[in-house]
Amino acid sequence: MAKRDYYEVLGVGKSASADEIKKAYRKKAIQYHPDRNPGDKEAEEKFKEAAEAYDVLSDPDKRQRYDQFGHAGVSGAAGNGGPYGGFGGGMSMDDIFSMFGDIFGGHGGFGGFGGTSRGASAARRYRGSDLRVKVRLTLNEIASGVEKKFKLKKYVACSHCHGTGAEDGATDVCPTCHGSGTVTRTQNTFLGMMQSQTTCPNCGGEGRVIKNKCKVCGGDGIVQGEEIVTVKIPAGVMEGMQLSMNGKGNAGKHNGIAGDLLIVVEEEPHQEFTRDKNDLIYNLLLNFPTAALGGTVEIPTLDGRARVKIDAGTQPGKLLRLRGKGLPDINGYGRGDLIVNVSVYVPETLTSGEKEQLQKMNDSPNFKPSTSVKEKIFKKFRSYFD
């Protein structure tokens, strides 16, 4: 079943502010929270759907890609579950509850509605930061898809302590939170009794404390390193599109979750073609005899050359269309066209003999433009300024 529009899911307009989006999500989360709707599968799905919408619309980068490309811009160029992850790459209920610190001030559970949330007692895992790289692609690479390799300088797990941050690998259960990573208090709210949880100040939310810090990484569990990453760029990407590879960013402290690698697409200008979405535009300059008499010309395409028939009396501004000779759609919906924009070359210098011949032609009624031709040409000219 097709995904609903994220703005529709939260019940806000496309011009909604960040605060309006947050308030709308808060309302939906309270309405459909599993603790408030035990055993209601439909409510749970709406709860997940609202979280998915908020995850995208609350992030300026994701929201911009969603507004430009729709669900394809945030669910990953290779599809849900593929190597390019947006929300569609997989968000668990624990991931959803982890967002509640931003929305509900640190608590994810509803004490008055059936206890604490399933993610409430989970110890914190650090997440590494994302890395961003730019990749410049030619139109030929965009047409067929391409594989690129990057040598990334990034944080990696410390090999000395195996990412734990502890010299001997030994850690103890935090005596303050007893391993939960949070400290809890109960208070009265307009929703009833609500359990409010905050990060444990002693262990930073991890649930464990290090006895002896690693002498190589200083207890963080990560060090500066390098990695060569191979990225498969799908065919049909566009300038400014951002792809992501899950887990290829900086490593998280203490064997935490690695960040993502964000790949920003840039297009190299082509010598022959101008891109218009999935269509390619080629400007063909005809000499006057060919435009008047007709003939056959050869034009370039991305995969070779093609012969195009020119009708006698072809006017400047005429558009010829070669179906399927453009770029593939990134979502697999066919290919664009190659559009040939015809111009006619007028000689800048003439011999006396050529001038004499043209002067004779100038007296012929066939060389005087008809009213219909003039209207057609000027109509096209005006459309360039509309």
Side-chain angles (χ1 to χ4, degrees):
M1 187 173 67
K3 286 180 181 246
R4 286 204 297 156
D5 179 80
Y6 287 148
Y7 293 100
E8 179 187 338
V9 169
L10 296 183
V12 297
K14 290 193 174 182
S15 60
S17 66
D19 285 341
E20 288 172 333
I21 289 171
K22 182 183 287 189
K23 288 178 183 177
Y25 172 57
R26 187 179 190 277
K27 181 179 179 181
K28 295 290 184 182
I30 291 173
Q31 181 181 357
Y32 297 116
H33 195 286
D35 289 346
R36 202 176 190 187
N37 303 272
D40 189 337
K41 290 294 184 183
E42 183 179 354
E44 183 174 331
E45 289 305 313
K46 289 184 177 180
F47 180 69
K48 291 179 181 178
E49 185 182 45
E52 177 177 339
Y54 177 74
D55 177 67
V56 172
L57 298 184
S58 63
D59 184 298
D61 287 339
K62 291 181 181 178
R63 184 176 180 180
Q64 182 181 9
R65 298 201 305 273
Y66 177 72
D67 289 343
Q68 188 173 2
F69 303 110
H71 293 293
V74 292
S75 64
N80 292 352
Y84 303 102
F87 188 93
M91 178 179 273
S92 66
M93 290 295 282
D94 285 346
D95 293 327
I96 296 173
F97 287 125
S98 71
M99 297 194 305
F100 278 23
D102 179 40
I103 303 301
F104 298 97
H107 48 73
F110 293 79
F113 300 137
T116 60
S117 81
R118 283 164 282 183
S121 62
R124 173 188 181 184
R125 292 185 67 194
Y126 285 102
R127 185 184 186 278
S129 59
D130 295 337
L131 292 176
R132 186 188 298 264
V133 296
K134 294 181 179 179
V135 55
R136 286 181 65 83
L137 303 174
T138 65
L139 281 182
N140 293 85
E141 290 174 327
I142 292 172
S144 58
V146 68
E147 191 172 274
K148 295 284 187 178
K149 288 186 177 181
F150 298 94
K151 187 176 184 180
L152 303 175
K153 293 185 181 295
K154 54 185 282 191
Y155 283 107
V156 298
C158 175
S159 59
H160 182 75
C161 65
H162 305 291
T164 63
E167 182 63 34
D168 53 4
T171 59
D172 287 337
V173 174
C174 176
T176 302
C177 65
H178 307 292
S180 69
T182 59
V183 289
T184 306
R185 63 189 179 92
T186 303
Q187 60 182 353
N188 284 316
T189 72
F190 70 96
L191 293 172
M193 294 295 293
M194 184 174 287
Q195 290 184 331
S196 175
Q197 295 181 330
T198 58
T199 301
C200 175
N202 186 44
C203 66
E206 293 187 74
R208 304 190 70 83
V209 291
I210 297 173
K211 290 182 178 180
N212 300 310
K213 291 184 177 180
C214 172
K215 61 185 179 183
V216 175
C217 65
D220 288 335
I222 55 175
V223 294
Q224 282 281 359
E226 291 182 347
E227 183 183 1
I228 295 177
V229 176
T230 300
V231 180
K232 291 183 178 179
I233 309 292
V237 293
M238 295 183 180
E239 171 82 25
M241 186 174 284
Q242 182 171 278
L243 310 175
S244 66
M245 293 187 70
N246 294 333
K248 290 299 182 179
N250 286 311
K253 293 182 179 180
H254 303 165
N255 286 324
I257 302 167
D260 298 336
L261 174 62
L262 307 178
I263 305 105
V264 181
V265 175
E266 293 183 345
E267 290 183 19
E268 291 185 5
H270 196 276
Q271 198 171 10
E272 303 281 3
F273 304 119
T274 301
R275 181 175 184 176
D276 180 19
K277 296 181 180 177
N278 293 333
D279 291 335
L280 295 176
I281 299 172
Y282 174 71
N283 292 312
L284 174 63
L285 187 59
L286 292 177
N287 58 39
F288 176 75
T290 303
L293 302 174
T296 302
V297 297
E298 212 175 61
I299 64 169
T301 67
L302 285 178
D303 53 5
R305 300 188 70 83
R307 295 180 69 82
V308 177
K309 181 183 177 183
I310 304 298
D311 293 332
T314 294
Q315 301 297 319
K318 183 174 183 179
L319 300 179
L320 308 175
R321 186 178 294 269
L322 278 65
R323 300 284 181 184
K325 289 295 184 178
L327 296 170
D329 185 87
I330 192 170
N331 295 313
Y333 301 131
R335 296 181 72 95
D337 301 331
L338 175 57
I339 299 170
V340 182
N341 178 39
V342 177
S343 297
V344 177
Y345 173 69
V346 177
E348 297 178 89
T349 58
L350 296 169
T351 66
S352 58
E354 291 168 339
K355 289 180 181 179
E356 186 178 342
Q357 290 177 359
L358 286 176
Q359 189 61 50
K360 291 179 181 178
M361 295 177 187
N362 190 44
D363 296 332
S364 170
N366 290 332
F367 279 79
K368 299 186 185 304
S370 65
T371 302
S372 61
V373 170
K374 284 195 287 187
E375 288 179 351
K376 189 182 298 183
I377 292 175
F378 287 124
K379 183 178 180 181
K380 289 181 180 178
F381 181 75
R382 283 196 301 270
S383 68
Y384 295 150
F385 300 94
D386 290 342

